[in-house]
Amino acid sequence: MPPLGRGIAGSGGDTPVPPASPFRILHVSTGNVCRSPITERLHRHALELRLGGSCSGGLLVESAGTWGHEGAPMETHAATVLSDYGADPAGFLGRELLDEHVIRADLVLTATRDHRAQVISMGHSAGLRTFTLKEFNRLVRAIDPATLPEPDPDLPDGGLIERARALVGAAAALRGWLLAPNPESDEVYDPYGAPITFFRSIGDEINQALDPVVTALTGVPARA
């Protein structure tokens, strides 16, 4: 069998192999109008910066809320925070978290421990692939990048889907060994109704938490 993405020989020449199903990353908060939209769009923006242009490497980033405001735009201050980072807030519509979102997700990153518990309580074997964002950050930073599959530009997804799956497995294996110094350290607090200064502080927390996650997913460090 030829390597994935190199084509299968046939009478009409090489036939491209279609890319694998995307690796879905789901960010979850409460209303899906503040924290999870910020995290979703910052995550997408970071992937574009690392991978170039609109390329995602087969990584699909979405969000939803446990009490999501279905069809609602993100909060104005949330959109301002995204613009501060050069990320695009346009076209966002809130979603209520549904079973199908959890079933399809390969990695669920939540704002708080309570959100994590709600996702896991929905079933669908979500426990091993659901973390708070800051928890996943802590675990990822402890993983030796050399133990993860190297990106492969010859594959349709650049080899990032296999790398992402390995990363989630390694993080799940570490969870019981690398505990938070205190429960609050895994929380991203809700800025809903707060002034723009608090939204910006939450945006900074999220951006810092995402940085090593995106580096681990892509194998590409942030530009200095």
Side-chain angles (χ1 to χ4, degrees):
M1 178 180 293
L4 182 62
R6 300 277 181 94
I8 301 175
S11 59
D14 285 353
T15 301
V17 177
S21 299
F23 182 93
R24 292 178 178 269
I25 302 169
L26 178 66
H27 291 288
V28 175
S29 63
T30 303
N32 195 215
V33 291
C34 296
R35 287 168 291 181
S36 50
I38 291 173
T39 315
E40 173 196 317
R41 293 301 175 91
L42 285 180
H43 199 158
R44 288 188 190 181
H45 183 60
L47 287 173
E48 290 172 2
L49 291 176
R50 308 291 176 93
L51 300 176
S54 60
C55 175
S56 67
L59 307 179
L60 178 62
V61 185
E62 305 173 305
S63 65
T66 55
W67 292 89
H69 300 294
E70 190 73 29
M74 72 175 74
E75 285 289 298
T76 301
H77 287 340
T80 299
V81 168
L82 289 173
S83 296
D84 289 345
Y85 285 96
D88 185 7
F92 181 87
L93 294 175
R95 301 192 306 175
E96 182 176 356
L97 181 66
L98 303 176
D99 288 271
E100 65 188 66
H101 300 144
V102 177
I103 291 169
R104 292 188 302 177
D106 298 286
L107 171 61
V108 184
L109 298 175
T110 69
T112 69
R113 292 167 296 146
D114 183 59
H115 296 131
R116 181 185 63 194
Q118 290 181 66
V119 171
I120 293 173
S121 73
M122 294 172 73
H124 314 303
S125 303
L128 292 177
R129 51 195 166 89
T130 302
F131 310 80
T132 74
L133 172 62
K134 288 186 174 181
E135 174 191 22
F136 196 64
N137 165 289
R138 182 176 68 254
L139 298 171
V140 160
R141 286 187 288 112
I143 296 169
D144 182 355
T147 64
L148 301 174
E150 286 291 329
D152 185 347
D154 288 331
L155 297 179
D157 64 355
L160 297 188
I161 292 177
E162 181 187 3
R163 183 181 177 92
R165 294 190 193 284
L167 182 68
V168 173
L174 276 176
R175 178 155 33 196
W177 298 92
L178 193 61
L179 302 178
N182 56 74
E184 289 70 29
S185 65
D186 279 344
E187 305 281 286
V188 176
Y189 291 106
D190 193 355
Y192 186 79
I196 185 61
T197 51
F198 188 63
F199 267 84
R200 285 190 166 121
S201 70
I202 292 298
D204 185 56
E205 279 186 40
I206 291 170
N207 191 59
Q208 290 188 44
L210 280 172
D211 181 71
V213 171
V214 176
T215 297
L217 284 168
T218 63
V220 180
R223 295 177 183 174

